Amino acid sequence: MSHPEEACFNNISINALKPGMYVVSVSTGSNKLSVKSEGYIQDDEAINKLIKLGVNKVCVDPAREKLRENIDNIMLEPVREQPKDEQPKVSLAQEMKQANSLYSNAKLLQQKVLTSITEGRVIDLAEVQESTNAMVDSIFRNQDALSCMSRLRIKDEYLVEHSLNVSILMTIFAKHLGFDRPTIEELALGAFLHDIGKVLVPDEILHKSGKYTQVEYEVMQDHVLLGLRVLEETPEISDIVLSIVKEHHERLDGTGYPDELEGGEISEYGLMIAIIDSYDAMTAERVYKPGMHPIAAFKNLIMDAPTCYDEALVEQFIQCLGVYPIGTLVCLNSGKIGLISKLNRSKPLTPCVRVFYNIRLKQAVAMEEIDLSHSKYKDQIDRCIKPEEFNLNLLAFFKAAFID
């Protein structure tokens, strides 16, 4: 919209914004926001929403400022522009070997971090940042590679793999939402460290397979504050990292912990990590609990979205990963088994599948990538499966399909 009187407008810090002011435009630095309309700021909650979206400056028209009770034409909440689908800079095959190496090294580093904490030593933050930055680089080259790696699970390595997978998913999600690169790097670091306090929880509680008693549950909840205590003693830790660790168990309705925050009290980063942390926990194979298929986990997130999770962010998270996330093991209606190797954004139910086994023949078949969106393929996904259903060595097939 053109404003001939623009010379009369004032650019002010978001911290100077007050209810009753008339906002013409917003600024976020490198984050891109689209504003559906200009208008009045109705209350402090509207200001908090702008802050969550990364707004640091606003342009206001002082001549139109009103008392709160006289406000009309309320400003609609800005939304971050969704980036157009970008072509990967390198192919999945090119990135896969490097992603495999990054994943293996990051697991070793996560274990080293946990050992440092149990021994009372300060975390080498620079070493961790170097590792998470390298994973961010990989995701910007081709995010499907590390996405594949995050689908491979070892039951007795949950704590190490969970934090690593959450960091990968956080990076992919933040990239999808259009965050700037420095913020994505801080989010990846925070996600990598979000559960470090668990290593200080007694093993008999941390690894308990049955239901917690009230006392045990309270001890388990302490992992958030224990992690914060460790990080607050770590030099040069950022507020973004601390907010991720502090808020990953907070819920919109105030039922989370440790502070029982509600709605606008939770940062956007906290809302994101809550979704990702829950999704990865649901889909993880545990010694005492089988993992859910991604679709079942998505359904749980949607069901809980109105009260526990931000509904718009849940929708974006599912859109980001796809109905069948990269690396998901599926059975086609022809009896072929394969791994999702590429998403089809315009037709999410027909991705590319790299097949390697036929359950009707009960044997491995020649590796082939099938694009289910092409009419020449009559195959369609019948269901998601787990390798143990057919006694498959998924790791061996995975390496043959994507790495070797």
Side-chain angles (χ1 to χ4, degrees):
M1 185 180 295
S2 177
H3 297 277
E5 69 279 17
E6 277 188 22
C8 300
F9 295 166
N10 290 340
N11 287 306
I12 63 172
S13 164
I14 187 67
N15 296 323
L17 187 61
K18 297 178 181 178
M21 288 185 171
Y22 191 90
V23 174
V24 177
S25 62
V26 301
S27 174
T28 62
S30 54
N31 281 348
K32 296 180 180 178
L33 294 183
S34 59
V35 184
K36 295 180 181 177
S37 75
E38 59 186 68
Y40 289 100
I41 296 297
Q42 185 178 33
D43 49 32
D44 291 333
E45 185 178 351
I47 298 173
N48 288 333
K49 286 182 178 180
L50 292 176
I51 293 172
K52 280 187 186 179
L53 285 165
V55 174
N56 49 34
K57 290 184 180 180
V58 293
C59 181
V60 299
D61 182 354
R64 301 176 70 174
E65 187 171 341
K66 291 183 177 182
L67 295 174
R68 190 183 301 211
E69 57 267 25
N70 296 330
I71 289 175
D72 55 6
N73 190 22
I74 296 169
M75 179 186 182
L76 294 181
E77 182 181 341
V79 294
R80 187 174 289 109
E81 291 179 359
Q82 297 305 316
K84 296 178 180 177
D85 281 345
E86 298 177 5
Q87 290 299 317
K89 294 179 181 178
V90 302
S91 70
L92 178 61
Q94 288 174 307
E95 188 59 31
M96 204 64 224
K97 287 187 178 180
Q98 190 161 358
N100 183 46
S101 176
L102 286 171
Y103 194 87
S104 297
N105 291 338
K107 281 177 64 174
L108 294 174
L109 179 58
Q110 179 71 239
Q111 190 58 62
K112 180 180 176 181
V113 167
L114 298 179
T115 301
S116 295
I117 294 170
T118 57
E119 295 177 353
R121 291 184 282 115
V122 175
I123 297 171
D124 186 344
L125 192 64
E127 186 178 21
V128 179
Q129 184 82 74
E130 182 180 357
S131 178
T132 54
N133 284 357
M135 290 193 292
V136 172
D137 286 338
S138 175
I139 287 167
F140 270 79
R141 288 192 298 267
N142 190 318
Q143 67 184 42
D144 294 345
L146 275 174
S147 182
C148 277
M149 294 305 307
S150 71
R151 296 290 300 154
L152 291 178
R153 306 266 189 185
I154 300 176
K155 290 181 182 181
D156 58 358
E157 295 185 7
Y158 172 75
L159 183 56
V160 172
E161 291 187 340
H162 171 65
S163 293
L164 176 51
N165 292 344
V166 169
S167 182
I168 291 168
L169 291 170
M170 174 61 87
T171 304
I172 292 171
F173 192 26
K175 176 174 174 281
H176 171 80
L177 292 176
F179 282 95
D180 61 85
R181 179 63 180 264
T183 301
I184 292 175
E185 291 177 354
E186 288 300 314
L187 291 171
L189 176 63
F192 189 86
L193 298 172
H194 83 281
D195 254 353
I196 56 172
K198 281 187 176 178
V199 77
L200 299 175
V201 174
D203 281 348
E204 61 270 21
I205 294 178
L206 182 63
H207 300 299
K208 183 177 179 179
S209 58
K211 189 175 181 180
Y212 288 134
T213 66
Q214 183 59 34
V215 172
E216 289 171 335
Y217 183 57
E218 289 172 2
V219 171
M220 188 64 189
Q221 288 180 329
D222 283 343
H223 81 272
V224 176
L225 297 178
L226 291 170
L228 279 173
R229 195 175 304 158
V230 170
L231 291 177
E232 285 167 352
E233 296 172 358
T234 305
E236 300 181 353
I237 202 77
S238 74
D239 289 340
I240 290 178
V241 172
L242 291 176
S243 68
I244 290 247
V245 176
K246 184 179 180 181
E247 298 177 359
H248 72 277
H249 280 295
E250 298 290 356
R251 298 294 182 261
L252 285 175
D253 59 0
T255 59
Y257 61 87
D259 295 323
E260 298 181 347
L261 301 179
E262 295 182 39
E265 296 175 321
I266 307 172
S267 71
E268 184 177 19
Y269 311 135
L271 297 174
M272 292 167 65
I273 190 70
I275 294 167
I276 296 165
D277 179 56
S278 298
Y279 169 81
D280 190 76
M282 284 188 281
T283 54
E285 291 288 332
R286 309 286 288 275
V287 173
Y288 56 84
K289 177 192 76 69
M292 290 183 183
H293 294 304
I295 292 176
F298 289 152
K299 287 179 179 177
N300 280 353
L301 289 173
I302 291 169
M303 183 173 60
D304 292 339
T307 53
C308 294
Y309 309 107
D310 183 277
E311 202 162 7
L313 283 176
V314 168
E315 290 174 1
Q316 285 297 326
F317 181 65
I318 296 170
Q319 182 181 329
C320 166
L321 292 190
V323 176
Y324 300 104
I326 298 293
T328 301
L329 187 65
V330 294
C331 179
L332 306 182
N333 53 14
S334 63
K336 295 175 182 175
I337 287 178
L339 292 157
I340 302 296
S341 57
K342 186 177 180 181
L343 302 182
N344 184 343
R345 297 293 181 187
S346 61
K347 297 179 179 179
L349 297 178
T350 56
C352 291
V353 182
R354 200 162 292 190
V355 298
F356 54 78
Y357 191 86
N358 191 308
I359 58 175
R360 293 173 184 171
L361 300 176
K362 296 183 179 180
Q363 65 182 32
V365 295
M367 193 81 64
E368 177 189 12
E369 184 163 83
I370 298 177
D371 185 344
L372 298 181
S373 66
H374 287 182
S375 58
K376 67 177 181 178
Y377 292 113
K378 295 181 180 180
D379 270 321
Q380 294 299 321
I381 294 173
D382 180 50
R383 60 193 174 98
C384 297
I385 61 171
K386 295 180 179 179
E388 53 267 27
E389 291 180 42
F390 301 101
N391 198 28
L392 295 174
N393 184 343
L394 181 59
L395 185 59
F397 282 118
F398 181 90
K399 288 183 175 181
F402 292 107
I403 299 173
D404 296 340

